[in-house]
Amino acid sequence: MLTSRIEQLKKQFFTHVPAVCLEGALSKTHVFKETEGEPMIVRRAKAFKRHCETKTITIQPGELVVGNAGRTARTIHICPELSNNWVYEELDTMATRPQDPYAITEEQKMLFRNEIYPYWKGKTLRDYWNAQAPKPILDIISLGGVIDNDIKIECTPGDIVPEFKENIFAKGFGGIRAQAQALLETVDLNDVENYDRRDFWEAITITCDGFSILCRRHAQAARELATTEKDGTRKAELHVSGEACDAIAENPPKTFREAMQLHYFIFVGLFIEGNAGGYSPGRMDQNLYPYYKRDVEAGILTDAEALELIECMWIKFGEQIWYWNEPAATQYAGFCAFQNVCIGGVDMDGLDAVNPLSYLMLQATIDTQMVQPSLSVRLSRKNPEDFFLKIAELIQTGSGFPAIYSDDIGMKQLMKKGIPPELARDWV
């Protein structure tokens, strides 16, 4: 049964018409104009940071998990360096097309035509690909539907799971930045192979700075909202949200709330970095469990509170939109970003990995009935019967979730490719 907050957030979700946001496209255009001749990876990092510095920060009523790649919920963050041409060609039709339309203003059309499009014309990923592909291949693609590659050419690769447990959660942005900075300060530039490493490490420091700025700007926005908030409960929530965003600007998370917010900011960052599908949370029940366990044992978190936070996160995942051109939208309808949460299975030692968060994430999917995130389960003979029964309860809703995978088969596939058993057990 949904809490009044989640009911409110769901209703709020459906009031947001998918729409174009050009803030990021403008940031990238300005930064790339300023950095001609610099290494591409550094230019991209600087564009990321600029957007974190300048984007509109929106915190919606009732939200406990905050953030958007665009200016508001369900706005598409246009990436002009990937594929500029189709956006230009569809400016006058994208709001009225029959499948997955995006609202766009006349002012946005003018901005794109006059400032963004001219700079990127001939410089996009799609332009580079078209220049190298054999003409017979391009002719087949132009027929439509014969080779399904438009989407992957016109966006970043996606299909990744960030390394939360041993990297993001363990070090925080400050720790990752310090590690990269230390490598930068000791790199031997007498070795030509180290130039790429230098550029990579520099890009990491810039990107971490961008993430820290994004966190602090949300913290400030929450505090500003709190000053005018009349409801005492909501005022306190905004202060807690601000404290959480401030805490994770540099440091690893200490609480379940901080870990959830940091987790979501990573996905905001991925959508800022590039338009793609399959940016996936992976084993959320494993990565977040230490924070849940610590808070429950300390008496500062109940299962009801944890469930509400998870359901807030589920709605936020639904707000991220993977955008594409009209031909692609006819094949992949529904504004879906294919963000997959994977739960259950065994841990890296081969022991049953099902924990209380596994059940709470199943319950969140039962309760919210959202298209995103998609949920998959790894089923092992070592998992308890109650886990199987809870999965059946979700299946009965008719949502199409969860996707069910054999844990043993998944591990065997990876071990056949030479993956060590302990890593193969951590598959998603």
Side-chain angles (χ1 to χ4, degrees), residues 219-232:
Q220 181 62 27
R223 284 192 291 267
E224 288 173 359
L225 284 173
T227 62
T228 58
E229 179 58 55
K230 304 299 183 187
D231 181 81

Side-chain angles (χ1 to χ4, degrees), residues 150-407:
D150 264 15
I151 293 171
K152 290 301 184 185
I153 296 170
E154 296 183 345
C155 67
T156 49
D159 302 321
I160 62 167
V161 177
E163 174 47 71
F164 284 101
K165 191 162 48 179
E166 296 180 6
N167 198 2
I168 298 163
F169 283 170
K171 302 171 186 174
F173 297 127
I176 295 170
R177 189 195 189 288
Q179 185 179 3
Q181 185 63 42
L183 291 164
L184 264 177
E185 291 171 359
T186 59
V187 64
D188 178 11
L189 294 180
N190 291 313
D191 183 346
V192 69
E193 291 186 2
N194 282 338
Y195 280 74
D196 283 346
R197 296 187 179 98
R198 176 203 60 184
D199 298 342
F200 176 65
W201 294 329
E202 182 181 356
I204 288 176
T205 65
I206 296 167
T207 302
C208 286
D209 287 343
F211 267 121
S212 296
I213 290 165
L214 189 69
C215 293
R216 291 195 181 98
R217 292 189 68 213
H218 279 85
Q220 181 62 27
R223 284 192 291 267
E224 288 173 359
L225 284 173
T227 62
T228 58
E229 179 58 55
K230 304 299 183 187
D231 181 81
T233 300
R234 182 57 182 161
K235 182 186 287 281
E237 288 174 355
L238 288 165
H239 280 300
V240 171
S241 185
E243 290 168 2
C245 290
D246 259 340
I248 60 174
E250 296 283 347
N251 302 310
K254 291 186 174 69
T255 66
F256 185 69
R257 175 69 174 269
E258 290 176 9
M260 290 283 281
Q261 184 60 68
L262 176 56
H263 196 291
Y264 188 69
F265 273 145
I266 291 297
F267 286 91
V268 170
L270 284 168
F271 274 91
I272 290 172
E273 165 69 13
N275 172 47
Y279 291 141
S280 291
R283 303 190 76 184
M284 279 187 74
D285 59 343
Q286 305 306 303
N287 295 333
L288 291 167
Y289 182 63
Y291 304 94
Y292 162 88
K293 184 173 184 290
R294 188 183 309 156
D295 286 3
V296 168
E297 290 175 351
I300 61 173
L301 182 72
T302 66
D303 274 0
E305 291 167 336
L307 177 61
E308 189 173 57
L309 273 169
I310 293 167
E311 291 179 351
C312 286
M313 179 82 102
W314 266 215
I315 292 169
K316 291 302 290 183
F317 278 128
E319 291 177 358
Q320 300 290 355
I321 297 178
W322 182 20
Y323 71 90
W324 37 53
N325 61 19
E326 185 170 356
T330 61
Q331 299 178 51
Y332 294 91
F335 303 106
C336 183
F338 299 102
Q339 303 157 101
N340 187 262
V341 173
C342 179
I343 63 174
V346 298
D347 61 20
M348 294 178 75
D349 296 320
L351 304 175
D352 172 35
V354 171
N355 63 46
L357 283 181
S358 311
Y359 292 96
L360 290 175
M361 289 176 183
L362 286 167
Q363 187 63 50
T365 308
I366 292 169
D367 289 344
T368 57
Q369 296 287 291
M370 297 290 290
V371 173
Q372 287 288 282
S374 58
L375 185 72
S376 60
V377 295
R378 290 171 42 180
L379 277 188
S380 167
R381 289 185 289 268
K382 297 179 180 179
N383 296 150
E385 184 179 359
D386 283 349
F387 187 57
F388 285 69
L389 294 174
K390 192 67 179 179
I391 291 166
E393 185 182 340
L394 173 54
I395 291 170
Q396 283 182 314
T397 66
S399 66
F401 296 136
I404 299 173
Y405 295 89
S406 164
D407 212 29

Side-chain angles (χ1 to χ4, degrees), residues 283 345-351 378-382 405-428:
R283 303 190 76 184
V346 298
D347 61 20
M348 294 178 75
D349 296 320
L351 304 175
R378 290 171 42 180
L379 277 188
S380 167
R381 289 185 289 268
K382 297 179 180 179
Y405 295 89
S406 164
D407 212 29
D408 289 340
I409 296 299
M411 287 183 283
K412 287 175 182 176
Q413 286 178 325
L414 290 171
M415 286 190 284
K416 281 184 177 179
K417 296 178 180 292
I419 303 298
E422 66 276 9
L423 293 180
R425 296 187 191 109
D426 205 31
W427 70 276
V428 296

